[in-house]
Amino acid sequence: MAQRAGAVIVPRWPGAIVIALVLLLTVGTLIAVLTRADTFGGLGSADRAAISFTLLQAVLSAAISVIAAIPVARALSRRRFRGRSILITLLGAPFILPVVVAVMGLLAVFGRNGLLNDALTMIGAGRVSIYGLAGVVLAHVFFNLPLAVRMILQGWQSIPAERFRLAAALDAPVFSLLERPMLRAVLPGAFASIFLICLTSFAVALILGGGPKATTVELAIYQAIRFDFALDRAAFLAAIQFAMSLVAAGIAWFLAVPDASGAGLDRMARRWDGASIFSRLSDGLAIVVAAAFLIVPLVLVVLRGIGGLGDVPVQIWPAIVRSVLVAVVSTSLTILAAVALSVRGGRGVVVASALPLAASSLVVGTGLFIMVQPILNPAKIALPVTAMMNALMALPFALRIMEPAVTKAERDFGRLSTSLGIVGWARVRMVILPRIRGSLGFAAGLAAALSMGDLGVIALFATSDQQTLPLLMYQLMGSYRTDAASGAALILLGLSLGAFWICDKWGRHGAEN
Amino acid sequence: MALKIDDLRIRLDDFSLKANCAFEAGKVTALIGASGAGKSTFLSALAGFVDCDGGDIRWNGARIQGLPPARRPLATLFQDNNLFPHLTIAQNVGLALGPRLRPLSKDRGPIANALDRVGLAGFDARKPAQLSGGQQSRAALARVLLQDRPIVLLDEPFAALGPGLKRDMLALLRDVILSPERVVIMVTHDPEDARYIADDIAVVADGRVMPPAPVADVLDNPSDDIKLYLGLH
């Protein structure tokens, strides 16, 4: 419908500023990287090893996550049991779980002194090591199996209940008739999006990778900057990383990534297949194994954390303050940017929600490092840069949550507001913000938790007197102070979940009106 | 005093509407026509939400065509979403006096008075969700009353109410909103509503808004368009 052109309904210039900033931080830093990249040396053998390890771990992580997710999603889609909705909620939890904390939990199960090795020793078998390829893939599966389950479950839920009735009435095979076509449509997108996530995941490789056999490109960038002070080489590697991300993001875009928002996952279609003992047992097994895989490490984080609280060093206090400050600043920036962009609408939203996903934080961080290094010591601005980067990385998720809410508020109350002369900033303050409160709180919660647990750019910029809590935890783990690290993990877990809970709770309060 | 529409033309994709008519003050005019005939589009054009391709809209000779919606001398009741759910009834009604959430002290009296006129005295602090459907309609009417604009447009705002409540609201509308200086135009599907409240009927059919004519003339000696719409043959 033709709306009135020319009249100022909502302010549009703040959105333009945000788009300019996003372009500067993504495309601008990329240009800085490319102009600095030392290509004369060409690809060394270490570079080639890093590239192939990066691709190998991403392919394995994505393939295992997606394949393992199929029986779990199938079981969740056709079984009704106590705790089903809690389990589905829990599948969303890894998103706000700090990587260092999850790795701590995985170490408690699969690590040198973990449950698995204790059991293996007891039966006289050899020990397994979690470091290297196995550990990196394990951690990536821990984070992305739940995501894959949500995407595939969404596919199962999208099969109309009538089709199951029809299949039952005709006694037709449900798998080949309904499930195989759905899986064929959903799996490639799920694989591609998890592949992209694993391609740009830095913290897991930092903690569990390393050495000539298990170094990702991002880890190599970090080592080039931190240990060799070789900016040209870091820039070269960053250009390679960007090229890989770009190809993967393009493929994921082309394949249409499935919805994992979790909306409507509580619905269940009545089904008539899967009544045999075998399928009941296999569904039960899939659910129990998946739940244990997710829950046991977290329970161990809590149990060992309580024991380790007494060993936490005194530096934890300034680290907590820094982490909270960075989270507050980055969450505010994310929300301001997301509001400005959603209100503006249009093409800018698409750009700002796609670019940060394709750009990895290490590539952007390298670019920023190159840009500021001639002017001042990068360590001086470690915390502001981290806050800005965290805001940039959370922006796509915040937009995906808030933009539909702003659109709905305008659709429902736009005309009434305009007819009453509520335009410009008054429109944002009096109508849009109160209407999107629930989505805003949820998005702020995600942004705060993501920032609280971030171990990316901060590792690149910070010196030892600027640690955030995840960085301090990583250093404690590196110096084998396991008890202290366990205590810090529990505190970090509490801060991340607490930050999410406070924001989400604020959003829900009064959102029913 | 009258709202004059001269050669107004609206074109939206493959739909077009022409209007050439006048609405007199002191009367309620019902807009009647089949779904999709363009009743709501016509109201949207008057209110300034839809751009016109040509023609003129004048109130007492002054051109209002081209003004932004809030600067036109009219108030609109939409089909739904006439109250902001996050604001109290007093705040919702108070928006009639300007885009602010804390009423000026001089505005408190008029707001209370408007609520009193529609039978909602004492409901100031409630949120719309705490009111029944009929009470919500009353609150929206109170805002229109307080807006005190010479033209009032109603786009079937009471359609979701039961027949009895709808009658009550139409009576209240006639009672508190209609005045000798005011033009009231309402869209309706129901010829009985028109008979109950309206003075004139303007038929919307074949891409045209016909000039208003007295209700009895239109309904008792129906034209072919009206016969078709009413199902008379």
Side-chain angles (χ1 to χ4, degrees):
Chain A
M1 188 162 293
Q3 286 291 335
R4 296 208 50 79
V8 178
I9 301 293
V10 288
R12 289 173 55 82
W13 59 266
I17 293 179
V18 173
I19 294 170
L21 278 175
V22 169
L23 286 175
L24 177 72
L25 282 175
T26 52
V27 180
T29 53
L30 180 69
I31 292 171
V33 162
L34 290 179
T35 52
R36 187 66 190 261
D38 170 20
T39 51
F40 296 112
L43 280 177
S45 64
D47 302 330
R48 276 198 293 271
I51 294 171
S52 53
F53 178 76
T54 305
L55 293 174
L56 176 66
Q57 61 82 17
V59 167
L60 285 177
S61 304
I64 295 174
S65 298
V66 168
I67 291 169
I70 296 171
V72 182
R74 179 174 154 118
L76 282 173
S77 78
R78 66 182 184 187
R79 301 290 168 206
R80 207 182 289 265
F81 55 93
R82 278 171 77 96
R84 180 180 178 272
S85 63
I86 294 175
L87 187 57
I88 288 175
T89 307
L90 203 67
L91 290 175
F95 191 79
I96 58 170
L97 196 63
V99 174
V100 266
V101 171
V103 170
M104 201 73 203
L106 290 172
L107 284 171
V109 179
F110 302 97
R112 182 187 296 272
N113 298 312
L115 297 182
L116 179 66
N117 275 323
D118 287 353
L120 287 176
T121 316
M122 225 182 301
I123 59 169
R127 289 172 173 275
V128 294
S129 170
I130 192 179
Y131 292 95
L133 180 65
V136 170
V137 171
L138 181 73
H140 281 160
V141 171
F142 178 83
F143 275 98
N144 293 300
L145 173 68
L147 177 67
V149 170
R150 285 166 76 104
M151 289 181 185
I152 298 171
L153 186 53
Q154 200 89 51
W156 246 294
Q157 310 281 45
S158 69
I159 301 175
E162 295 77 16
R163 303 254 171 93
F164 285 109
R165 280 182 218 157
L166 186 61
L170 299 173
D171 202 16
V174 168
F175 180 73
S176 59
L177 191 68
L178 300 176
E179 297 179 330
R180 196 162 54 199
M182 181 280 293
L183 288 173
R184 205 177 286 154
V186 169
L187 293 186
F191 178 89
S193 64
I194 294 173
F195 179 78
L196 178 62
I197 292 171
C198 297
L199 206 57
T200 57
S201 120
F202 168 67
V204 165
L206 177 68
I207 306 168
L208 294 173
K213 277 184 176 167
T215 297
T216 60
V217 175
E218 294 220 321
L219 191 53
I221 296 172
Y222 166 79
Q223 288 163 348
I225 292 183
R226 292 298 297 207
F227 303 146
D228 309 333
F229 308 104
L231 272 188
D232 299 343
R233 199 178 126 69
F236 176 57
L237 291 165
I240 292 173
Q241 174 69 44
F242 179 80
M244 294 197 302
S245 311
L246 192 68
V247 172
I251 293 171
W253 180 274
F254 180 73
L255 289 174
V257 171
D259 182 14
S261 63
L265 289 185
D266 283 340
R267 280 182 293 109
M268 282 192 72
R270 171 92 166 82
R271 296 178 55 159
W272 287 266
D273 61 320
S276 72
I277 293 286
F278 173 75
S279 71
R280 279 167 193 243
L281 280 179
S282 65
D283 281 356
L285 190 68
I287 289 169
V288 168
V289 169
F293 180 56
L294 293 179
I295 294 170
V296 171
L298 292 182
V299 170
L300 287 178
V301 165
V302 174
L303 292 180
R304 296 198 174 183
I306 293 171
L309 280 179
D311 297 300
V312 169
V314 70
Q315 299 101 294
I316 191 109
W317 292 108
I320 290 174
V321 171
R322 282 184 211 111
S323 279
V324 170
L325 277 180
V326 166
V328 168
V329 172
S330 75
T331 304
S332 311
L333 288 176
T334 302
I335 295 303
L336 282 177
V339 169
L341 283 172
S342 330
V343 162
R344 183 186 166 88
R347 226 174 265 275
V349 178
V350 182
V351 170
S353 55
L355 272 182
L357 288 180
S360 81
S361 65
L362 261 268
V363 174
V364 176
T366 308
L368 284 174
F369 201 98
I370 291 168
M371 284 157 88
V372 302
Q373 191 243 0
I375 312 165
L376 57 122
N377 178 5
K380 284 210 164 82
I381 54 163
L383 293 181
V385 164
T386 303
M388 199 168 64
M389 284 300 305
N390 291 348
L392 179 73
M393 291 301 158
L395 182 58
F397 304 104
L399 267 179
R400 209 174 294 167
I401 294 162
M402 287 165 60
E403 207 259 346
V406 170
T407 306
K408 178 171 162 39
E410 274 295 306
R411 192 180 59 227
D412 289 350
F413 296 101
R415 287 188 167 199
L416 175 61
S417 308
T418 305
S419 75
L420 292 170
I422 307 173
V423 293
W425 288 109
R427 173 81 139 243
V428 177
R429 186 173 51 86
M430 289 166 55
V431 181
I432 295 177
L433 288 181
R435 298 310 313 148
I436 67 166
R437 181 174 176 150
S439 309
L440 194 151
F442 183 60
L446 290 187
L450 283 177
S451 171
M452 202 71 84
D454 170 73
L455 180 56
V457 164
I458 186 71
L460 208 56
F461 279 71
T463 53
S464 57
D465 55 350
Q466 290 170 317
Q467 303 129 324
T468 55
L469 190 48
L471 188 56
L472 175 68
M473 224 193 107
Y474 167 63
Q475 288 165 352
L476 290 173
M477 289 165 81
S479 49
Y480 301 103
R481 295 173 62 184
T482 310
D483 290 340
S486 303
L490 181 60
I491 295 172
L492 180 54
L493 180 66
L495 282 176
S496 294
L497 297 185
F500 174 79
W501 185 81
I502 289 170
C503 295
D504 189 45
K505 177 93 177 160
W506 172 85
R508 282 166 198 260
H509 175 79
E512 72 277 9
N513 289 323
Chain B
M1 289 197 281
L3 176 66
K4 288 204 65 178
I5 289 123
D6 293 320
D7 283 328
L8 196 71
R9 287 189 303 281
I10 306 161
R11 198 184 295 273
L12 297 171
D13 300 325
D14 54 352
F15 168 85
S16 72
L17 189 69
K18 286 181 189 167
N20 208 353
C21 49
F23 298 88
E24 284 173 45
K27 282 184 175 176
V28 174
T29 307
L31 280 183
I32 281 194
S35 315
K39 305 184 294 289
S40 293
T41 306
F42 179 60
L43 281 203
S44 294
L46 295 183
F49 292 115
V50 169
D51 281 332
C52 301
D53 284 334
D56 232 350
I57 306 171
R58 287 175 189 275
W59 169 246
N60 285 346
R63 191 160 193 262
I64 65 172
Q65 163 79 318
L67 292 177
R71 305 249 323 266
R72 299 187 181 206
L74 48 81
T76 308
L77 275 188
F78 301 98
Q79 272 179 16
D80 43 26
N81 293 323
N82 283 302
L83 299 172
F84 293 107
H86 54 285
L87 302 181
T88 64
I89 295 304
Q91 283 176 316
N92 266 296
V93 173
L95 285 173
L97 301 172
R100 50 184 169 266
L101 297 184
R102 289 206 191 87
L104 308 174
S105 52
K106 70 178 173 64
D107 293 342
R108 291 180 202 279
I111 292 171
N113 189 36
L115 283 173
D116 193 32
R117 289 279 304 277
V118 300
L120 286 180
F123 283 71
D124 327 39
R126 302 217 195 162
K127 297 274 182 77
Q130 296 168 292
L131 266 56
S132 69
Q135 288 169 330
Q136 290 177 11
S137 298
R138 286 168 186 269
L141 270 183
R143 197 195 62 233
V144 171
L145 179 65
L146 196 58
Q147 277 180 281
D148 196 23
R149 303 288 173 95
I151 305 164
V152 173
L153 308 176
L154 301 101
D155 191 0
E156 292 195 274
F158 312 129
L161 303 178
L165 262 181
K166 190 161 84 171
R167 284 289 157 88
D168 291 349
M169 294 313 302
L170 291 175
L172 184 66
L173 170 73
R174 202 161 172 115
D175 193 32
V176 302
I177 302 290
L178 187 65
S179 74
E181 299 82 36
R182 197 168 273 156
V183 168
V184 178
I185 305 174
M186 64 166 225
V187 168
T188 182
H189 268 103
D190 187 349
E192 289 309 307
D193 284 354
R195 224 188 264 281
Y196 183 73
I197 186 185
D199 303 288
D200 289 348
I201 286 180
V203 176
V204 184
D206 292 335
R208 281 189 58 206
V209 181
M210 317 285 180
V215 171
D217 292 1
V218 176
L219 292 183
D220 298 338
N221 303 302
S223 66
D224 290 346
D225 286 330
I226 291 292
K227 276 186 188 156
L228 200 64
Y229 175 60
L230 297 177
L232 306 171
H233 295 286

